[in-house]
Amino acid sequence: MVRLISLLVGAAFVGVLAIALFGTVATAISDPAPETAEAKYHQHPENIGLASNGFFGRFDRRQLQRGFQVYKEVCSACHSLKYVAFRDLADLGYSEGEVKAIATQWAIEQPSVNPETGEATTRKNIPSDRFPSPFANEVAARAANNNALPPDLSLMAKARHDGTNYIHALLMGYRAQPAALLKEFPGTKTPTGLHYNPWFANLNIAMPPPLTSDGQVPYADGTRATKDQMARDVAAFLTWTAEPKLERRHAAGLASVVFLLIFCFLAWGAYQNVWRDVKH
């Protein structure tokens, strides 16, 4: 009797769930949710084909150095790299002396305390220091950026879907708001202080266009600094900051695959040797 009651209760519960599911599906079909401006006009980035892409991908050191130069001269005014140390730049091909010079000459110094007075002060950066934030705290960062908080860029290529391509598309995506959008969605005019960018999730971003013209960052290696080239280079650099051990991971994966192939061949040979005298 108890078992029968349990079966009936279970059957009733499943039936209620089935009815609810059917009602939800029927409502979605007969009365679909209204299309939004974000859903219709949001764009998805295209693959920019960096050298680091793919199973055998490797970083282009010259491109990483150019990307660092773009970050230094453009992005560092607002965005931090709190998970990257100056000494990590040696992986980009900089010598020990160049790393020390970059750290010492960095525009923003490290916060410190005067040992004699105990008052807050600053000191020169050293290679073991991480890149300092351009702002003393979040309040100061928001005050300088129309109440928007500039995100840290250390892991941006991992924090956003298709991050490398997203960074490039976002930097190149500033444009006038299309008339078709305003006609179809009259209440979606870009607010004052924001900028229309269809590659941003809600179409309007607080960051002004950081790359404004060709030649904005004169490259030390002589590469022509078009806006597209600068966007590609800084996207490559931020891919490295997010995954500096990418090349070692690729090498370890390749070595593992080779090891497994050799192991399978040896196992097959051992099997053949052990069972060679056995007749089927």
Side-chain angles (χ1 to χ4, degrees):
M1 187 65 179
V2 174
R3 181 176 296 179
L4 178 60
I5 294 174
S6 299
L7 289 174
L8 290 174
V9 171
F13 182 71
V14 172
V16 170
L17 288 179
I19 293 172
L21 177 61
F22 176 78
T24 301
V25 173
T27 301
I29 294 174
S30 62
D31 187 20
E35 189 175 36
T36 63
E38 291 82 359
K40 185 169 183 178
Y41 286 89
H42 177 59
Q43 300 291 320
H44 298 280
E46 297 181 355
N47 188 351
I48 59 175
L50 294 182
S52 56
N53 290 353
F55 187 78
F56 301 101
R58 298 182 62 83
F59 288 121
D60 179 344
R61 260 53 186 185
R62 289 185 61 188
Q63 183 173 47
L64 294 184
Q65 290 190 15
R66 294 195 302 268
F68 170 63
Q69 189 177 349
V70 175
Y71 168 76
K72 178 183 178 182
E73 298 186 23
V74 179
C75 310
S76 65
C78 297
H79 297 278
S80 58
L81 281 180
K82 64 181 180 181
Y83 296 117
V84 182
F86 287 100
R87 63 186 174 191
D88 295 333
L89 296 177
D91 290 342
L92 274 59
Y94 291 107
S95 67
E96 182 179 351
E98 288 174 324
V99 171
K100 288 182 178 179
I102 291 171
T104 303
Q105 297 166 8
W106 197 256
I108 303 163
E109 298 184 342
Q110 292 288 336
S112 184
V113 175
N114 189 318
E116 298 179 358
T117 64
E119 296 180 351
T121 184
T122 59
R123 62 167 175 80
K124 295 288 186 180
N125 296 288
I126 59 176
S128 60
D129 287 328
R130 298 190 178 189
F131 283 83
S133 171
F135 303 105
N137 50 54
E138 181 178 332
V139 175
R142 290 186 181 278
N145 291 277
N146 196 25
N147 203 38
L149 180 64
D152 179 80
L153 297 182
S154 306
L155 303 176
M156 187 57 64
K158 287 291 186 182
R160 299 290 185 268
H161 174 66
D162 199 12
T164 301
N165 299 321
Y166 165 80
I167 292 169
H168 172 265
L170 186 74
L171 293 175
M172 296 296 296
Y174 290 87
R175 58 201 60 195
Q177 194 171 24
L181 185 152
L182 294 174
K183 182 178 180 181
E184 188 173 356
F185 302 96
T188 58
K189 181 177 175 57
T190 299
T192 302
L194 299 183
H195 307 269
Y196 179 75
N197 192 319
W199 280 269
F200 194 64
N202 67 1
L203 307 182
N204 300 306
I205 186 171
M207 179 176 69
L211 301 177
T212 56
S213 62
D214 293 346
Q216 182 177 346
V217 178
Y219 281 142
D221 66 358
T223 300
R224 185 167 177 264
T226 63
K227 287 174 61 177
D228 179 71
Q229 184 67 57
M230 290 184 288
R232 287 173 181 270
D233 293 342
V234 77
F237 172 70
L238 294 179
T239 300
W240 171 79
T241 64
E243 196 169 6
K245 293 181 172 57
L246 178 141
E247 292 176 325
R248 275 172 271 184
R249 179 170 61 80
H250 285 180
L254 180 60
S256 299
V257 170
V258 171
F259 169 79
L260 290 173
L261 290 174
I262 294 174
F263 176 80
C264 290
F265 177 76
L266 293 175
W268 177 81
Y271 170 82
Q272 295 294 322
N273 185 60
V274 170
W275 296 96
R276 68 181 183 278
D277 295 329
V278 178
K279 295 182 178 179
H280 296 285

